Amino acid sequence: MLKLLALYFFTTLIHVPITEAKIREYNWEVKYEYKSPDCFRKQVITINGLSPGPTILAQQGDTVIVNVKNKLITESFAIHWHGIRQRGTPWSDGTAWVTQCPIGPGDTVTYEFKADRPGTYVYHAHYGMQRTAGLYGSIQVSLPDGVEEPFAYDFDQSILLNDWYHQSTSAQATGLTSIPYMWVGEPQSLLIQGKGKFNCSSVTLPTNICNTTNPECSPYVITVIPGKTYRLRIASLTALSALSFQIEGHKMTVVEADGYNVEPFEVDKLYIYSGETYSVIVKADRDPSRNYWATTNVISRHPNTPPGLAIFNYEPNEPQQSPPTVPPAGPVWNDTADQFAQSQALKARQGYIHTPPPTSDRTLVFLTTQNTINGYTRWAVNNVSLDTPETPFLIALKYNLPNAMDQTPPPDTYDSLNYDINNVAKNKNATSSTAIYRLKFNTTVDVIMQNANTMKISHSETHPWHLHGHDFWVLGNGIGKFDLKEDTKKFNLVNPVMKNTVPVFPFGWTALRFQADNPGVWAFHCHLEPHFYLGMGVAFEAGVEKVGKLPSFIMGCGQGRGL
């Protein structure tokens, strides 16, 4: 009775109507099929025959149940629900070797979680480099009935952006872990909602392998009604590329980032990094007698991939009717200042500000570097490259299996005074470890991400970092070496945006703050597939003793067998 009274007063005070939560259940079969998303025929991991997979639709408070059958025959996999915090269900985070054993061939498992926040999210494979093979899709969580967004629109649509490789993920992974090191290279195509166009005439291939007339690779069409306003939920799940997205002749107003309302600002191009999601408002207010191009381009890396093209189709024009113009050129790929400016423009929307704690209980300063270990190329954080154990961290810690992972804590910081971030390190060697960061439950943690030079002269990269199980405040970012004394004085504690994924720019830093208030073990890593595969990440534990009984579907490997 007391709980019901408390719920009544809570909902009355904030004017949120009580709506009955629903169960949204999905049944998926995951298998390989031959597809031609960019006209080049290759094996693609599909869900119910689709790549991108089905969009998950839910309302805030709903329970999502996904029954997944592995029909890959020779491969295991796991699915991560990116942006879903998994409060109370850490075993459903879907991160192989962190929160679960991979799902074996022929097995069926059930992921169950609460859609606790409205917004735009994604799901994707989180085992090896399988995300690159097409196992991904969108998640839309809407507000409860009777609650309105602080921005108006007539229609709502998800658009997923990807880069696309013709080489198989297993071949890529083998090259990355070989001597000599074989880099994956730049992608062959960019896909908009699973469609792109590779220039088949650029290589000698039979038409049954590459055929530009294949309807599978006809341009994706965004159909609009003249005079209407559209919310485009744009997400990036690229393996490597940072992207820009633009619609010819149209402005976009950014209103949401990673599920949080932001102070609206207008752009003619949206910079988006792997793992990020945005909502933009677009008005169909141009000449309706023609169609327009929607394009995506590689930024931050010297592009060797043609733009991705879609058609922004005004009804009643033919959807596949090409616009009468040449696709507009994308932005300058290495205009870091402009890219940096968009990140700084992101602020929490007035009326929707979640004020961060004024101070933190612990500060971690993470230097990210490219290194070698016994002749193999790796990525490292504070000179430690993450190895994933045979027994997933969550199982090892919940069942107190000390031999399942390294017990020496990884370093909280690096030798900032003497390390030169602008030059190749004198000592490129690193170590590897299965140790993780143990955080005191309910404490506030600052993480400073510091980019440095790679093993190539005068070269640093943009790294998008994603935190599982939490959202964080972006307190600030800058170019150069972070100054723990001076730069902390510049932190935005008034209206910082909250996100789950954020870019760290070349030779730059980004400062995050989060509360370790979600019991479990959570990955924090670079969202570029080859970088995380080569160890560019850490894991955080907090309150694992508060986690309930682990379900059987996550067990079955390492020391978890038979528990």
Side-chain angles (χ1 to χ4, degrees):
M1 185 67 176
L2 288 174
K3 287 183 178 178
L4 287 173
L5 284 171
L7 179 61
Y8 169 78
F9 284 118
F10 173 74
T11 54
T12 301
L13 284 171
I14 61 173
H15 308 291
V16 176
I18 300 175
T19 57
E20 184 179 351
K22 303 179 183 67
I23 293 176
R24 312 277 183 162
E25 189 165 4
Y26 296 83
N27 297 300
W28 289 356
E29 285 190 348
V30 175
K31 64 179 179 178
Y32 273 110
E33 296 189 21
Y34 280 102
K35 296 283 185 181
S36 304
D38 70 341
C39 307
F40 182 94
R41 185 169 178 261
K42 64 167 285 189
Q43 279 188 317
V44 176
I45 301 180
T46 64
I47 300 174
N48 296 347
L50 302 173
S51 178
T55 297
I56 289 178
L57 300 173
Q59 278 187 304
Q60 183 180 7
D62 288 351
T63 295
V64 177
I65 298 174
V66 186
N67 305 303
V68 184
K69 184 173 181 61
N70 182 356
K71 298 189 74 175
L72 294 181
I73 302 176
T74 60
E75 292 183 37
S76 300
F77 71 91
I79 300 178
H80 170 52
W81 316 94
H82 183 118
I84 304 296
R85 294 178 294 183
Q86 301 292 350
R87 291 187 177 274
T89 53
W91 47 79
S92 282
D93 187 55
T95 311
W97 312 120
V98 177
T99 60
Q100 71 167 91
C101 298
I103 304 165
D107 289 347
T108 299
V109 305
T110 297
Y111 287 105
E112 182 173 335
F113 54 86
K114 183 84 70 172
D116 66 327
R117 283 200 310 107
T120 304
Y121 309 104
V122 288
Y123 63 84
H124 59 81
H126 216 300
Y127 176 63
M129 292 179 61
Q130 285 178 335
R131 191 178 86 220
T132 312
L135 180 50
Y136 41 64
S138 298
I139 302 174
Q140 291 185 17
V141 182
S142 59
L143 286 163
D145 293 339
V147 183
E148 295 184 355
E149 300 280 9
F151 43 85
Y153 57 92
D154 299 302
F155 299 100
D156 190 342
Q157 185 169 348
S158 290
I159 299 176
L160 198 54
L161 307 179
N162 288 91
D163 48 12
W164 194 247
Y165 288 87
H166 294 166
Q167 190 179 42
S168 70
T169 55
S170 59
Q172 288 182 321
T174 301
L176 291 171
T177 53
S178 296
I179 299 178
Y181 175 66
M182 297 174 64
W183 175 236
V184 298
E186 300 303 310
Q188 278 68 61
S189 302
L190 299 180
L191 306 184
I192 300 178
Q193 198 57 26
K195 290 176 173 287
K197 185 147 289 191
F198 177 68
N199 181 6
C200 294
S201 63
S202 64
V203 289
T204 303
L205 291 169
T207 55
N208 66 326
I209 298 297
C210 200
N211 182 359
T212 55
T213 64
N214 189 329
E216 277 191 72
C217 58
S218 58
Y220 180 65
V221 177
I222 307 164
T223 297
V224 297
I225 299 170
K228 297 296 184 179
T229 300
Y230 291 81
R231 177 186 187 175
L232 302 182
R233 299 174 182 260
I234 302 170
S236 171
L237 283 176
T238 53
L240 178 68
S241 308
L243 300 175
S244 66
F245 177 83
Q246 44 276 320
I247 301 172
E248 179 189 11
H250 293 71
K251 296 286 187 180
M252 299 177 286
T253 301
V254 180
V255 294
E256 178 220 347
D258 289 359
Y260 286 93
N261 294 321
V262 300
E263 199 63 31
F265 63 97
E266 191 176 76
V267 297
D268 54 13
K269 55 190 173 300
L270 177 73
Y271 295 122
I272 186 166
Y273 305 87
S274 181
E276 287 192 312
T277 65
Y278 288 96
S279 284
V280 299
I281 301 297
V282 180
K283 294 182 179 180
D285 58 0
R286 307 297 290 177
D287 177 3
S289 67
R290 51 160 293 192
N291 291 338
Y292 298 82
W293 293 109
T295 63
T296 185
N297 298 77
V298 172
I299 59 167
S300 296
R301 304 180 66 86
H302 193 287
N304 193 30
T305 308
L309 301 176
I311 295 175
F312 198 70
N313 162 237
Y314 273 73
E315 285 191 341
N317 301 322
E318 283 295 322
Q320 291 291 340
Q321 179 183 325
S322 291
T325 50
V326 175
V332 178
W333 71 271
N334 59 351
D335 189 352
T336 303
D338 199 43
Q339 299 161 28
F340 185 77
Q342 179 186 290
S343 287
Q344 290 195 309
L346 286 170
K347 300 289 187 293
R349 187 171 185 137
Q350 292 299 314
Y352 296 86
I353 296 172
H354 300 265
T355 305
T359 59
S360 65
D361 301 298
R362 184 175 177 182
T363 297
L364 303 171
V365 184
F366 286 164
L367 175 73
T368 60
T369 53
Q370 190 181 38
N371 301 81
T372 59
I373 299 178
N374 299 323
Y376 293 92
T377 297
R378 299 280 290 186
W379 285 89
V381 175
N382 291 349
N383 218 45
V384 177
S385 185
L386 180 66
D387 272 347
T388 48
E390 294 180 359
T391 305
F393 290 126
L394 181 61
I395 298 171
L397 292 170
K398 180 63 180 175
Y399 285 96
N400 192 25
L401 305 172
N403 295 330
M405 52 188 287
D406 294 336
Q407 296 300 313
T408 302
D412 280 14
T413 188
Y414 74 105
D415 185 5
S416 174
L417 184 64
N418 296 306
Y419 193 95
D420 182 2
I421 67 165
N422 296 305
N423 289 290
V424 177
K426 294 178 181 178
N427 181 1
K428 304 182 189 70
N429 293 323
T431 59
S432 61
S433 173
T434 57
I436 68 173
Y437 289 85
R438 310 293 295 270
L439 307 176
K440 188 176 179 181
F441 186 68
N442 258 341
T443 57
T444 301
V445 182
D446 280 359
V447 180
I448 314 301
M449 301 304 305
Q450 177 69 67
N451 267 356
N453 204 99
T454 66
M455 292 192 294
K456 180 180 176 182
I457 295 173
S458 300
H459 180 254
S460 184
E461 298 193 27
T462 300
H463 298 287
W465 278 81
H466 171 55
L467 177 60
H468 293 224
H470 305 76
D471 300 311
F472 49 72
W473 291 274
V474 183
L475 300 185
N477 46 26
I479 303 299
K481 185 184 287 188
F482 179 79
D483 187 316
L484 196 58
K485 182 179 179 181
E486 296 301 322
D487 286 324
T488 51
K489 298 176 183 177
K490 306 171 188 174
F491 283 174
N492 176 11
L493 301 177
V494 177
N495 60 346
V497 66
M498 293 196 79
K499 297 185 95 266
N500 62 62
T501 306
V502 68
V504 186
F505 292 98
F507 300 107
W509 59 267
T510 297
L512 319 174
R513 178 169 293 175
F514 73 97
Q515 292 180 293
D517 59 358
N518 193 5
V521 185
W522 309 102
F524 178 50
H525 62 94
C526 177
H527 211 259
L528 303 184
E529 283 286 74
H531 290 183
F532 182 48
Y533 187 72
L534 295 177
M536 195 176 188
V538 301
F540 295 128
E541 177 276 327
V544 74
E545 69 281 357
K546 302 178 186 297
V547 173
K549 180 177 172 57
L550 301 183
S552 59
F553 85 85
I554 73 166
M555 317 293 273
C557 61
Q559 296 181 36
R561 292 189 181 96
L563 291 177

